[in-house]
Amino acid sequence: KRLLTDADSNILVYITGHGGDTFLKFHDKEEIQSQDLADAFNIMHTQNRYNEILFMIDTCQAATLYTHITAPNVIGIGSSVKGQSSYSYMNDDALGISLVDRFTHHTLRFFERGIKTQNSKLLSLFQSYSFEKLHSNAQWDFINFQRDHQQVAITDFFSSISYVELTTHSINVTMVRDKDEDDDKYCEIQPLVIEFNNAANNGDNDVNTLTVLQHTMANALQWLDLWYQNIMKSSDAQFMFYMLVIVCGFYVVERTMPK
């Protein structure tokens, strides 16, 4: 399949697996060379299929995979330099394999901690990859990049989170253009409202029940986050206990929902 992108699209390409000096392996049977990737990016550029590309690689000798790239506006970052291995993080004794690689794990942890603002810079992510965390040296390069490296924001390639506040009443918002423009360009934003039937005898009870459910779900999400962090370290018996607690939690929520 071909990405439905155009000259205004920013693209994130994230590759993780087994690799070596200028190649990446697929199922230990096939491999792709760094020159193949460079050719693909060149074709995308000539066909106006992207604006900027962030190319992240988590393999052994990862930085060698972007050495042949000549297409403009490509940012390449690898979990290790030439001659270095990339390492896994945390093994599962039951499965007998590692669950995640260090570079990928610490990338996820970076975003779980949250970014300060929507304008937080991409270099802050790159600079968080210390040798103590990865046991290798991350390396990055801004290849034929046409704007200031210091101004590239994380949200240019990763989605940002918008915080919203729920309300039980209508809010009218009108957006008016400059008065010099034609009248037919005036527009109004219609509010999206959830109305509660407070006139009914059970109206207040419905609102209170919804409030309780909102708090219950918020607490459940916090608990699930904590459970996710500990589940990998648990035994089979502990895992079954966690699953039993989750089932009981869903049962309680279902019982408290209004009929």
Side-chain angles (χ1 to χ4, degrees):
K1 293 183 178 181
R2 188 177 70 175
L3 290 175
L4 300 178
T5 56
D6 55 33
D8 296 322
S9 301
N10 283 3
I11 301 175
L12 169 65
V13 179
Y14 196 105
I15 295 178
T16 181
H18 294 293
D21 188 0
T22 68
F23 71 89
L24 173 74
K25 299 172 68 176
F26 293 95
H27 302 291
D28 291 331
K29 295 181 180 179
E30 299 181 2
E31 62 182 42
I32 186 171
Q33 300 287 334
S34 61
Q35 187 61 57
D36 299 327
L37 295 168
D39 292 342
F41 288 164
N42 280 328
I43 293 173
M44 292 176 65
H45 170 63
T46 57
Q47 294 180 350
N48 294 320
R49 306 302 301 178
Y50 75 89
N51 175 47
E52 295 172 347
I53 293 178
L54 173 57
F55 184 31
M56 304 183 72
I57 317 106
D58 184 9
T59 70
C60 294
Q61 308 188 69
T64 63
L65 279 172
Y66 61 74
T67 54
H68 290 93
I69 294 176
T70 58
N73 295 324
V74 177
I75 307 171
I77 178 169
S79 58
S80 55
V81 298
K82 183 175 181 178
Q84 279 187 337
S85 297
S86 292
Y87 296 94
S88 60
Y89 181 86
M90 192 168 61
N91 294 322
D92 185 277
D93 295 333
L95 298 177
I97 58 174
S98 60
L99 301 176
V100 67
D101 294 321
R102 285 185 171 272
F103 182 83
T104 300
H105 169 77
H106 287 292
T107 300
L108 176 62
R109 292 294 297 161
F110 178 89
F111 286 106
E112 286 178 339
R113 289 192 296 269
I115 57 178
K116 294 181 179 179
T117 68
Q118 188 176 4
N119 294 322
S120 294
K121 306 309 178 187
L122 186 63
L123 283 174
S124 65
L125 170 63
F126 293 173
Q127 292 165 356
S128 71
Y129 298 127
S130 64
F131 183 85
E132 290 73 20
K133 292 178 180 178
L134 304 184
H135 297 177
S136 60
N137 298 107
Q139 186 178 76
W140 58 87
D141 187 17
F142 289 76
I143 303 168
N144 296 326
F145 216 68
Q146 297 177 0
R147 61 183 175 120
D148 187 356
H149 307 171
Q150 303 288 338
Q151 299 304 314
V152 181
I154 291 176
T155 51
D156 289 343
F157 297 97
F158 295 91
S159 297
S160 59
I161 298 176
S162 298
Y163 295 94
V164 298
E165 181 180 352
L166 297 178
T167 179
T168 59
H169 58 277
S170 303
I171 299 177
N172 292 320
V173 180
T174 303
M175 182 178 70
V176 180
R177 297 179 182 270
D178 294 336
K179 294 182 179 180
D180 295 336
E181 298 189 11
D182 298 335
D183 292 339
D184 59 355
K185 291 185 179 180
Y186 282 67
C187 63
E188 181 177 351
I189 300 175
Q190 299 293 334
L192 178 62
V193 181
I194 301 176
E195 296 183 355
F196 299 97
N197 185 13
N198 293 323
N201 294 331
N202 64 341
D204 292 338
N205 293 332
D206 290 342
V207 175
N208 291 335
T209 301
L210 180 62
T211 302
V212 171
L213 287 176
Q214 289 174 346
H215 286 295
T216 301
M217 293 304 298
N219 292 333
L221 289 174
Q222 293 178 356
W223 181 85
L224 285 173
D225 180 62
L226 179 63
W227 168 78
Y228 173 77
Q229 297 178 27
N230 289 280
I231 190 63
M232 298 305 178
K233 303 177 183 178
S234 64
S235 63
D236 292 341
Q238 288 174 319
F239 176 78
M240 294 301 297
F241 173 75
Y242 290 146
M243 294 303 297
L244 179 61
V245 171
I246 292 175
V247 172
C248 292
F250 280 118
Y251 175 77
V252 171
V253 172
E254 191 275 335
R255 294 286 294 177
T256 58
M257 291 181 66
K259 302 297 184 182

